[in-house]
Amino acid sequence: MFRKYINFVRGVSINRVGLTGVVLTTSSFFLFSILELARLAGILTNAYLGLITYLLFPALFVVGLILIPIGWRLSKKATGRTTRELLDGRFAEGEIRGAFYGSKVFTTIAIFTLANIIILGAASSRMLHFMDEPVFCGTACHSVMNPEWVTYQVSPHARVRCVDCHVGEGVDALIDSKLNGMWQMISITFDLLQRPIPTPVHQLRPARETCEKCHWPDKFYGSRLKSIARYAMDEKSTPGYNTLNLKVDINHSLNKAGIHWHVSEDSRVTYSTVSNERKKMTWVEVNYGDGSSKRYVNRAVTDTSANDEAARVMDCVDCHNRATHIYEDPHDAVDERMRQGLLDRSLPFLKREALTAITGSYADSAAAMEGIANSLAGFYRLSYPNVALQRSDGIDSAVMVLQSVYSRNIHHGMNISWGSYASQIGHRGPRQGCFRCHNSDLVAADSTSISYDCSLCHSILAFQSPAVFQYLEPTDSTSREYRMHQYLQQEFLDYLKQ
């Protein structure tokens, strides 16, 4: 019986074209099987091997299948013989009868057809599954997507698949994503990409289909205490703490509305922006639950390119625009590493010199790694030679931390530098974050403007206060976190008594 199928393969590879088709089909099948088993066993995890496994080999398999009948047709045309005559010329009577003539020919073709369908179906299914994995999204186009992959892996959503936010559910979403992926591949191949890549705000799915699958709006209530550490540029990198009582409530029926009022079901905020970039507002309209509304028009805007057709209903990503691919501000990055104890602030002027090192102008990543080391170590050699000699390990550790900060946030190949992807959480600049809407230029018909009072979203319990630092000093009995919690709890109780 096995001989019969060997004869069948010999028959279909009637010339070089047909033989090429058989070789491609057979070799791609066996190589696909071997690599797939290796991937399932965890031996191979590289995304490029995944591309070869799920894209190249199935494509070669199909090409091989197409070449086989083409080879037959070319051979018949060149010789002028029928199929029966060609087979009679290649095989003895007994060899070909069982495989090609009589009732068994249908069975033979059916078996090979079924095998092809199973192979292609399995390859297609595995390909789609593989392309939904974060490692494919982040590493398949390494030079382009590496910045997003780096920031994704250290983000709060590192365990959420890329496709859960970027693709969506259903066949239509799947087809749209694959068509968009094809265009991205073309853009990469012919270098049609912008650098840095603009944030795809117009392609993001609605927050109610993504964010609110996990973050339940009905649970946005109460307040949250937050303490932010800031370190001065002085010799001791003196810490100061801002303690805030964030009002996260969504309910305004009980006069408890806070930050998440913007996305509550009882009200709707609609806005339009200049050039549809969601940065400079043309107008903002608030529709209340009782049916009333109020529109604020930006009197400082002379560009009227925005129109009502481009209006957008505000949702989570209008503020949480960098919820996953988070690029840090250099000041915040250094402060956070100091707060975590990764940077030893007992080194003189460490905050100032750390900022100088990571914000320097460097030609590429290699130059940056060398420049950061030279900047920090050079400062201590020149200004504090004793410290450089006695604390060399601490300085080397600080250099490594700062190099890591730089590598996470700066990507020369994609022209990503400090501030390329700013977060809209908070209000660092005069027209950033909250202040895009909450400013004196957005005025209603009754001459009122959108309030920008600090107490709308948070109460300030402490501002640049050094007092909390004593609770962060190490002791033998309690942890830093516990002492911080004690302090903040007391601060909050004192606030409620006022």
Side-chain angles (χ1 to χ4, degrees):
M1 182 177 180
F2 187 67
R3 178 73 178 175
K4 176 179 65 177
Y5 294 113
I6 293 177
N7 286 338
F8 185 86
V9 173
R10 287 175 58 201
V12 295
S13 55
I14 196 165
N15 56 14
R16 290 184 179 180
V17 176
L19 179 61
T20 302
V22 170
V23 171
L24 286 176
T25 302
T26 306
S27 60
S28 61
F29 166 72
F30 282 109
L31 288 172
F32 173 85
S33 301
I34 293 170
L35 288 177
E36 177 63 4
L37 289 174
R39 284 184 60 79
L40 291 175
I43 299 173
L44 298 177
T45 58
N46 189 281
Y48 292 102
L49 288 176
L51 281 175
I52 294 173
T53 303
Y54 301 122
L55 296 180
L56 178 61
F57 288 147
L60 292 177
F61 185 88
V62 173
V63 170
L65 292 179
I66 294 172
L67 288 177
I68 292 171
I70 292 177
W72 265 95
R73 185 171 181 83
L74 292 174
S75 186
K76 289 170 66 177
K77 185 176 181 180
T79 62
R81 296 181 180 183
T82 64
T83 301
R84 176 63 180 268
E85 291 172 339
L86 289 171
L87 290 174
D88 286 339
R90 290 176 61 83
F91 296 97
E93 180 68 21
E95 288 182 316
I96 62 174
R97 182 174 298 279
F100 290 95
Y101 300 150
S103 60
K104 292 185 178 180
V105 68
F106 175 79
T107 303
T108 303
I109 295 174
I111 290 173
F112 277 95
T113 301
L114 179 62
N116 292 338
I117 292 174
I118 292 173
I119 294 169
L120 290 174
S124 300
S125 176
R126 290 294 299 166
M127 178 187 69
L128 292 175
H129 176 73
F130 169 70
M131 293 176 71
D132 283 349
E133 295 179 359
V135 67
F136 170 81
C137 302
T139 62
C141 302
H142 190 269
S143 62
V144 174
M145 293 307 297
N146 185 59
E148 306 307 317
W149 177 239
V150 169
T151 52
Y152 164 80
Q153 292 180 90
V154 292
S155 78
H157 295 104
R159 294 188 178 183
V160 180
R161 299 185 310 164
C162 308
V163 295
D164 291 335
C165 294
H166 289 284
V167 175
E169 302 171 353
V171 176
D172 291 344
L174 178 63
I175 293 174
D176 287 343
S177 70
K178 300 312 175 191
L179 291 175
N180 183 50
M182 290 177 62
W183 169 245
Q184 290 177 13
M185 292 180 68
I186 293 172
S187 300
I188 293 169
T189 302
F190 296 99
D191 197 21
L192 303 176
L193 294 168
Q194 290 181 251
R195 289 179 170 81
I197 297 174
T199 303
V201 291
H202 309 297
Q203 298 174 350
L204 292 178
R205 296 166 58 207
R208 284 180 171 81
E209 296 178 11
T210 53
C211 311
E212 294 182 12
K213 292 288 186 178
C214 299
H215 303 279
W216 192 1
D218 290 347
K219 301 302 179 182
F220 296 159
Y221 57 80
S223 300
R224 178 190 173 195
L225 281 174
K226 183 175 182 179
S227 184
I228 304 170
R230 293 284 183 259
Y231 295 85
M233 300 285 195
D234 58 13
E235 185 176 17
K236 295 182 178 180
S237 299
T238 304
Y241 293 87
N242 301 325
T243 306
L244 306 174
N245 175 39
L246 297 176
K247 304 174 183 178
V248 299
D249 217 307
I250 200 170
N251 189 347
H252 69 104
S253 61
L254 301 176
N255 295 320
K256 293 168 59 180
I259 298 168
H260 289 104
W261 165 86
H262 296 85
V263 293
S264 69
E265 293 183 356
D266 297 332
S267 58
R268 186 179 68 172
V269 179
T270 308
Y271 68 86
S272 180
T273 65
V274 174
S275 302
N276 205 21
E277 292 181 354
R278 303 187 187 177
K279 293 181 179 179
K280 190 174 184 179
M281 303 300 170
T282 306
W283 54 261
V284 176
E285 183 173 283
V286 182
N287 295 276
Y288 300 97
D290 59 5
S292 62
S293 64
K294 193 170 187 178
R295 175 174 288 207
Y296 301 84
V297 178
N298 194 337
R299 58 188 179 186
V301 171
T302 57
D303 186 344
T304 59
S305 59
N307 53 60
D308 290 355
E309 293 180 0
R312 169 179 165 78
V313 177
M314 188 174 183
D315 68 14
C316 306
V317 297
D318 287 295
C319 295
H320 299 275
N321 65 314
R322 309 305 305 181
T324 297
H325 304 287
I326 302 171
Y327 293 85
E328 300 170 292
D329 173 87
H331 288 266
D332 292 346
V334 173
D335 285 342
E336 180 61 16
R337 272 62 174 187
M338 282 190 167
R339 187 194 68 80
Q340 294 174 355
L342 299 176
L343 291 174
D344 185 358
R345 69 179 190 87
S346 65
L347 289 171
F349 290 104
L350 181 58
K351 168 67 181 291
R352 186 189 70 187
E353 295 307 313
L355 275 177
T356 300
I358 64 174
T359 57
S361 179
Y362 304 110
D364 53 38
S365 181
M369 299 301 101
E370 182 179 357
I372 290 171
N374 292 339
S375 176
L376 198 65
F379 167 76
Y380 289 111
R381 280 198 303 267
L382 292 175
S383 303
Y384 293 88
N386 291 334
V387 172
L389 184 63
Q390 299 171 8
R391 305 281 301 279
S392 59
D393 290 345
I395 295 171
D396 291 342
S397 175
V399 167
M400 292 178 62
V401 170
L402 295 176
Q403 288 173 335
S404 175
V405 169
Y406 191 94
S407 297
R408 168 183 168 173
N409 294 283
I410 309 300
H411 303 270
H412 293 270
M414 295 303 297
N415 293 337
I416 297 174
S417 57
W418 297 111
S420 293
Y421 295 118
S423 172
Q424 300 296 355
I425 287 289
H427 36 70
R428 280 199 172 277
R431 286 294 185 269
Q432 292 182 359
C434 309
F435 291 152
R436 290 174 296 166
C437 296
H438 293 267
N439 61 71
S440 59
D441 289 330
L442 282 159
V443 180
D446 60 1
S447 299
T448 59
S449 62
I450 299 178
S451 175
Y452 46 96
D453 191 317
C454 297
S455 62
L456 280 176
C457 297
H458 50 64
S459 301
I460 302 175
L461 306 182
F463 182 73
Q464 290 299 97
S465 171
V468 73
F469 184 68
Q470 62 182 303
Y471 291 87
L472 297 180
E473 293 296 341
T475 65
D476 296 330
S477 58
T478 58
S479 68
R480 283 186 178 185
E481 290 76 11
Y482 177 72
R483 289 189 297 280
M484 171 65 87
H485 175 75
Q486 284 184 312
Y487 173 79
L488 292 179
Q489 186 178 52
Q490 187 58 50
E491 285 274 296
F492 188 49
L493 290 174
D494 292 343
Y495 165 76
L496 293 177
K497 292 176 182 179
Q498 296 177 0

